[in-house]
Amino acid sequence: MPVYRDDVVVLRTQKLGEADRIVTMLTRQHGKVRAVAKGVRRTASKFGARLEPFMVADVQLWEGRSLDVITQAESIASYGALITADYPSYTVASAMVETADKLTEAEGSLQQYLLLVGALRSLSRREHGAGLTLDSYLLRALSMAGWAPSFQDCARCGARGAHSAMVVQAGGIVCDDCAAPGSPRLDPATITLLGSLLTGDWEHTKSTPPQTRAQATGVVAAYTQWHLGRGLRSLEHVSR
Ligand SMILES: [Zn+2]
C-alpha cells in the first residue's frame, strides 16, 4: 500500500537539504516512523508548524524506498504550542520525547503512543506540575518497556515489603538481606510517592513536601539512566 494515514506525535526533526526536514514520529498504528516533510522550512509551507516536536497530528504518508514522505498533516491537538511557550514544560517534554525515542528504537507500540500523548496533554494543562508529570511518565514508560520497578516487595528475592534500601540495578527496593552495605535508604514517604507515580495515583502526590519529591526524582533519574544509559541529554536540562 503506497499511501497510509495515521495519528502521530512528533519526537524530533532534523534538517534535510535547503528546505526539507526529516521528522521522527511515534505513530498510533505503525510504530516509529521517520519521514521527509518537503518544503517545511519555507515560510509558506503547507504544513505550517504542525510538524514540530510535541505536536500531535493526523498525517498522510507515501511509502518511499528509504524514507516515507509526508503528503498531508492536520493538527489534532495544540499541546505543542502551549508546552513550547513555558520553559520548564519545554524541558520536561524534551526529556519525554527523547525517552520515547530511545524506548521505541526496536519498535513502537500503541501503549507507548497513548502514554506519551496523555503525558503531553497533562503537561500542557499544568495538571500535576511538570516534575511529577515527568517522573510518572518515566516510570510508566520504562515499565511498558519491560523494566517495571518494585517499590513494595524486594526486587531481588520477592520478600514481602515494606523495605527501604534502593538498589537501582536490582530494579527497585530490596530487603535487608539483599541490600549491599551502604545501599541508600529511602524515607517511607518517598517510597509511597514513587508507588503513586508508577500507578498514576495523583491524589496521593498532591500534598508531598519538596524534600520527598526531590528524593523521588533522584531515584527516577538514576533508574532511567541505568536503563537508558547516559545518553539521555535532555534530562540534564530539566531544572529540579
Ligand atoms: Zn530480598
Side-chain angles (χ1 to χ4, degrees), residues 1 9 13 24 38 46 58 63 65 70 108 113 116-117 121 130 137 145 153 164 175 189 199 212:
M1 200 173 67
V9 53
T13 66
T24 304
K38 290 197 166 150
K46 61 176 175 171
D58 170 6
E63 259 176 44
R65 275 213 192 121
I70 299 171
Y113 171 84
L116 179 60
V117 171
R121 179 176 56 227
Y137 170 79
D153 298 337
S164 68
C175 71
T199 55
T212 303

Side-chain angles (χ1 to χ4, degrees), residues 151-153 159-164 173-175 191:
F151 297 126
Q152 176 66 30
D153 298 337
R160 280 279 178 103
H163 311 297
S164 68
I173 303 294
V174 298
C175 71
I191 297 171

Side-chain angles (χ1 to χ4, degrees), residues 154-159 163 174-179:
C154 175
R156 196 159 266 160
C157 75
H163 311 297
V174 298
C175 71
D176 288 345
D177 292 339
C178 292

Side-chain angles (χ1 to χ4, degrees), residues 109-158:
S109 70
L110 175 62
Q111 286 83 355
Q112 289 284 3
Y113 171 84
L114 293 174
L115 181 73
L116 179 60
V117 171
L120 291 172
R121 179 176 56 227
S122 176
L123 184 65
S124 73
R125 292 176 181 168
R126 318 267 162 85
E127 285 178 340
H128 311 295
L132 289 177
T133 305
L134 174 61
D135 288 342
S136 179
Y137 170 79
L138 292 172
L139 290 176
R140 296 164 88 176
L142 288 164
S143 297
M144 279 178 188
W147 297 314
S150 172
F151 297 126
Q152 176 66 30
D153 298 337
C154 175
R156 196 159 266 160
C157 75

Side-chain angles (χ1 to χ4, degrees), residues 7-8 24 36 48 78 83 106 151 157 188 195 197 202:
D7 296 343
V8 309
T24 304
V36 178
S78 53
I83 289 167
F151 297 126
C157 75
L197 291 170
W202 293 105

Side-chain angles (χ1 to χ4, degrees), residues 57-231:
D58 170 6
V59 167
Q60 185 173 292
L61 299 114
W62 180 75
E63 259 176 44
R65 275 213 192 121
S66 54
L67 288 172
D68 296 352
V69 177
I70 299 171
T71 52
Q72 279 179 39
E74 297 298 332
S75 181
I76 295 176
S78 53
Y79 315 142
L82 294 167
I83 289 167
T84 308
D86 176 60
Y87 187 70
S89 298
Y90 171 81
T91 59
V92 160
S94 299
M96 285 179 185
V97 295
E98 193 183 347
T99 300
D101 198 5
K102 284 189 182 297
L103 287 177
T104 57
E105 218 126 77
E107 68 181 318
S109 70
L110 175 62
Q111 286 83 355
Q112 289 284 3
Y113 171 84
L114 293 174
L115 181 73
L116 179 60
V117 171
L120 291 172
R121 179 176 56 227
S122 176
L123 184 65
S124 73
R125 292 176 181 168
R126 318 267 162 85
E127 285 178 340
H128 311 295
L132 289 177
T133 305
L134 174 61
D135 288 342
S136 179
Y137 170 79
L138 292 172
L139 290 176
R140 296 164 88 176
L142 288 164
S143 297
M144 279 178 188
W147 297 314
S150 172
F151 297 126
Q152 176 66 30
D153 298 337
C154 175
R156 196 159 266 160
C157 75
R160 280 279 178 103
H163 311 297
S164 68
M166 177 73 201
V167 180
V168 165
Q169 300 88 322
I173 303 294
V174 298
C175 71
D176 288 345
D177 292 339
C178 292
S183 297
R185 301 275 168 171
L186 301 181
D187 298 334
T190 303
I191 297 171
T192 303
L193 174 58
L194 286 165
S196 299
L197 291 170
L198 179 61
T199 55
D201 179 4
W202 293 105
E203 264 323 292
H204 275 101
T205 67
K206 277 183 186 162
S207 53
T208 47
Q211 64 268 29
T212 303
R213 292 185 183 194
Q215 197 176 45
T217 290
V219 171
V220 174
Y223 192 73
T224 303
Q225 267 159 355
W226 168 254
H227 286 294
L228 294 184
R230 290 183 179 277

